[in-house]
């Protein structure tokens, strides 16, 4: 599951992105990081993304809008990872097509476990 699993991280804070990249690459995932929604769309359009970790507050857009647009053409799993912690934000994130929602600060180990759990459901053992 891991070596062929390509995870896209859409996160504008380099320190947070570095933590996520390190945690996932340590577990054997192939990780791409984009600091803007625009760059993330370029990666998505190549069609080789297996999973998206998405921040809500981005410099060039909103993660909720990004997810809504992504859901028009793709069923790729999306995990929101954001500082927005209100119940309404969590509900919106899940209602618009997110598969999970984590609030910052976060545990890299828990994030990796949640990614694995979602992938188990969407990518059954071959």
């Amino acid at each position: 599951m891991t070596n062929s699993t390509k995870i896209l991280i859409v996160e504008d804070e380099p320190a947070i992105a570095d933590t996520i990249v390190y945690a996932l690459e340590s577990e054997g995932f192939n990780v791409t990081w984009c600091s803007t929604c625009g760059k993330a769309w370029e990666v998505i359009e190549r069609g080789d993304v297996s999973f998206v970790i998405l921040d809500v507050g981005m410099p060039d857009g909103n993660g909720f809008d990004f997810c809504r647009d992504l859901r028009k053409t793709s069923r790729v799993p999306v995990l929101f990872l954001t500082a927005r912690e209100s119940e309404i934000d969590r509900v919106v994130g899940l209602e618009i097509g997110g598969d999970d929602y984590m609030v910052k600060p976060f545990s890299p180990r828990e994030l990796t476990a949640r990614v694995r759990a979602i992938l188990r459901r969407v990518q059954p053992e071959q």
Side-chain angles (χ1 to χ4, degrees):
M1 167 172 53
T2 52
N3 286 339
S4 64
T5 303
K6 296 178 181 168
I7 299 178
L8 173 62
I9 300 167
V10 187
E11 168 62 57
D12 62 326
E13 291 291 331
I16 293 170
D18 287 346
T19 299
I20 300 167
V21 169
Y22 179 79
L24 294 170
E25 285 182 345
S26 295
E27 295 296 319
F29 290 105
N30 180 343
V31 181
T32 299
W33 167 50
C34 296
S35 60
T36 65
C37 292
K39 293 284 186 194
W41 278 119
E42 291 174 18
V43 174
I44 296 274
E45 288 168 2
R46 289 197 303 255
D48 61 351
V49 173
S50 306
F51 198 101
V52 177
I53 297 175
L54 179 60
D55 191 2
V56 174
M58 296 296 294
D60 66 336
N62 178 292
F64 291 149
D65 294 335
F66 186 95
C67 185
R68 274 190 203 96
D69 291 342
L70 181 63
R71 283 291 170 253
K72 293 175 184 174
T73 59
S74 175
R75 300 303 311 152
V76 66
V78 174
L79 184 150
F80 283 102
L81 181 63
T82 180
R84 294 177 66 165
E85 61 184 327
S86 72
E87 179 184 15
I88 190 66
D89 286 328
R90 293 189 311 262
V91 170
V92 167
L94 296 169
E95 292 285 334
I96 63 173
D99 295 280
D100 202 353
Y101 193 105
M102 287 184 71
V103 176
K104 298 171 187 172
F106 65 99
S107 157
R109 294 170 97 186
E110 180 182 357
L111 174 66
T112 302
R114 287 175 183 248
V115 168
R116 287 190 182 285
I118 293 167
L119 287 171
R120 276 195 304 272
R121 288 191 297 274
V122 300
Q123 296 178 345
E125 292 297 319
Q126 310 282 323

